[in-house]
């Protein structure tokens, strides 16, 4: 079977994807997975698949994969058709999502949309009309649940496969002793990743635990190496000046001593993540569906703290592998609690490693991809994955109810999803607020 993955890496052309088994080399998790997944598919099913990576820059891709240089997603789709691929796997982007669905239908190219972030209701509706969009793959259960009242889901064309993780990445030749006062944040320094929340509450942490230390791994140019940064060289100037410097500078405007910015790190970040007692992943929980940094921390036996939202509820089990909260007060209390009880934090970390090994190991994940490819190729019906049991979370109970209405009316006329209704109501509120 021939499958082609489109990796968009034009803005991170110097990132080395050649050895996925070494972990994320210092880029967004999505880009890394579009290199790692074909690599592991080839590793575990070498005789069953001919695997291709179609990419903007092919200089630093896994050597065991056939790769072709393309300028954009449209050229990639055309090439996938030309080399007679059974499936073309792509990540849709906001600026191209409608055009690519139209193109794969015109090409009659069987395709799989791999959804790593939120997806618009309009796009879901267009997908439902496509004959050659065979499946929308979400990256975790919470993300999958949020679109279960779409027509595409009613048609049985939505599933989820968690992102894979190589537990061997966490193995070390030397035993690293936890620094019981060290907190490490990993993530891009952009608003959607929530670092400003941690920056805002850090002075409160220092008041309660004066010996606490914060190491920050990440930068504002994680996704685009051409991004212009502020005077501290951390993030976009406006974001840095308004949301980082006011909270983390002393009376002289210098960085406070308890915080160290390590910048954008590749494989060397592992040392700091393993040494930390606490790992912080996107305190807001926004935009996270299966955050790789949470899996990295857990694999290194580091307890994870984040927001109790979206994919954080899948990757971090509250009270088992980390602590989740819904407010700044929760974030302060959770950090202080673990700093005050390092033995409990270490137990959470050990549990996290077991959890990652059981749920996210690459062999299990690639078996799920293999099952999907074969089911689609041979037109085998895949059983529907039920909702998670937390139906009272995030209006999920309304999604379950609306799914019934979508089933009854969605084939007759366009029926709205709960995600669409929430967005519509939010837009009305914002317009009235700023009238």
């Amino acid at each position: 079977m021939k499958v082609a993955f489109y990796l968009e890496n034009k803005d991170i052309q110097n990132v080395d994807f050649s050895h996925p088994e070494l972990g994320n080399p210092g880029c967004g998790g999505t880009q890394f997975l579009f290199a790692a997944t074909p690599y592991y598919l080839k590793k575990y099913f070498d005789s069953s698949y001919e695997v291709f990576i179609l990419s903007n820059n092919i200089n630093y891709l896994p050597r065991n994969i056939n790769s072709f240089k393309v300028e954009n997603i449209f050229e990639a789709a055309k090439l996938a058709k030309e080399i007679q691929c059974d499936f073309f796997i792509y990540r849709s982007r906001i600026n191209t999502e409608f055009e690519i669905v139209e193109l794969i239908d015109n090409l009659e190219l069987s395709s799989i949309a791999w959804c790593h972030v939120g997806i618009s209701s309009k796009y879901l509706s267009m997908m439902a009309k496509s004959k050659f969009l065979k499946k929308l793959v979400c990256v975790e259960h919470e993300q999958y649940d949020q679109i279960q009242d779409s027509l595409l889901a009613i048609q049985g064309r939505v599933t989820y496969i968690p992102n894979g993780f190589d537990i061997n990445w966490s193995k070390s030749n030397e035993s690293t002793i936890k620094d019981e006062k060290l907190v490490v944040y990993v993530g891009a320094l952009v608003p959607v990743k929530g670092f400003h929340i941690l920056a805002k509450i850090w002075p409160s942490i220092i008041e309660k635990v004066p010996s606490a230390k914060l190491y920050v791994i990440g930068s504002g140019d994680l996704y685009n190496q051409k991004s212009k940064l502020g005077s501290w060289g951390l993030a976009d100037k406006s974001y840095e000046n308004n949301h980082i410097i006011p909270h983390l500078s002393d009376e002289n405007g210098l960085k406070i001593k308890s915080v160290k910015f390590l910048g954008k790190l590749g494989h060397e970040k592992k040392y700091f993540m393993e040494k930390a007692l606490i790992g912080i992943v996107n305190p807001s929980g926004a935009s996270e569906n299966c955050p790789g940094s949470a899996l990295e921390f857990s694999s290194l036996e580091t307890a994870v703290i984040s927001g109790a939202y979206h994919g954080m509820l899948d990757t971090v089990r509250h009270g088992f592998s980390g602590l989740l909260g819904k407010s700044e007060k929760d974030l302060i209390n959770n950090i202080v609690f673990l700093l005050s009880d390092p033995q409990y934090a270490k137990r959470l970390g050990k549990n996290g490693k077991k959890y990652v090994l059981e749920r996210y190991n690459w062999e299990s994940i690639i078996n799920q991809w293999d099952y999907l490819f074969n089911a689609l190729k041979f037109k085998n019906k895949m059983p529907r994955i039920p909702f998670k049991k937390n139906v009272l979370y995030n209006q999920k109970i309304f999604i379950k109810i609306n799914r019934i209405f979508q089933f009854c009316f969605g084939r007759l006329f366009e029926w709205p999803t709960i995600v669409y209704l929430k967005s519509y109501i939010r837009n009305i509120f914002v317009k009235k607020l700023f009238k």
Side-chain angles (χ1 to χ4, degrees), residues 126-144:
M126 185 173 186
M127 284 178 158
K129 298 171 185 175
S130 169
K131 291 182 179 179
F132 288 89
L133 192 286
K134 300 300 181 181
K135 214 77 169 181
L136 171 65
V137 177
C138 298
V139 295
E140 255 297 2
H141 207 152
E142 288 291 341
Q143 182 192 24
Y144 167 87

Side-chain angles (χ1 to χ4, degrees), residues 381-421:
K381 187 175 181 180
M382 298 174 65
R384 178 179 168 267
I385 302 169
F387 281 91
K388 285 177 70 176
K389 294 180 180 178
N390 60 343
V391 293
L392 297 180
Y393 164 75
N394 203 17
Q395 294 87 42
K396 205 177 288 187
I397 186 67
F398 297 111
I399 295 174
K400 288 193 74 171
I401 295 170
N402 196 49
R403 180 180 167 86
I404 298 171
F405 289 106
Q406 185 72 257
F407 180 83
C408 295
F409 305 119
R411 292 179 175 87
L412 302 176
F413 52 87
E414 196 161 312
W415 187 265
T417 64
I418 294 299
V419 170
Y420 170 78
L421 291 174

Side-chain angles (χ1 to χ4, degrees), residues 100-117:
I100 189 60
V101 173
E102 184 179 352
L103 178 60
I104 62 176
D105 276 350
N106 290 338
L107 293 172
E108 298 185 355
L109 174 65
S110 294
S111 301
I112 296 170
W114 196 5
C115 183
H116 286 249
V117 294

Side-chain angles (χ1 to χ4, degrees), residues 319-354:
F320 180 78
S321 64
L323 298 177
L324 302 174
K326 292 189 174 181
S327 66
E328 292 179 4
K329 183 179 179 181
D330 287 343
L331 182 60
I332 294 170
N333 291 340
N334 287 340
I335 293 174
V336 171
F337 178 63
L338 292 191
L339 288 173
S340 304
D341 191 350
Q343 295 310 311
Y344 178 61
K346 290 174 185 178
R347 285 201 300 274
L348 295 180
K350 289 184 182 296
N351 292 339
K353 185 167 187 174
K354 296 175 186 175

Side-chain angles (χ1 to χ4, degrees), residues 261-273:
F261 293 94
L262 302 177
K264 185 169 58 178
L265 300 181
H267 305 305
E268 61 271 28
K269 69 183 177 182
K270 176 181 169 183
Y271 170 78
F272 300 102
M273 296 177 76

Side-chain angles (χ1 to χ4, degrees), residues 250-264:
D250 59 21
E251 60 276 8
N252 297 315
L254 302 175
K255 299 169 189 172
I256 57 177
K257 293 181 180 179
S258 64
V259 180
K260 183 180 289 187
F261 293 94
L262 302 177
K264 185 169 58 178

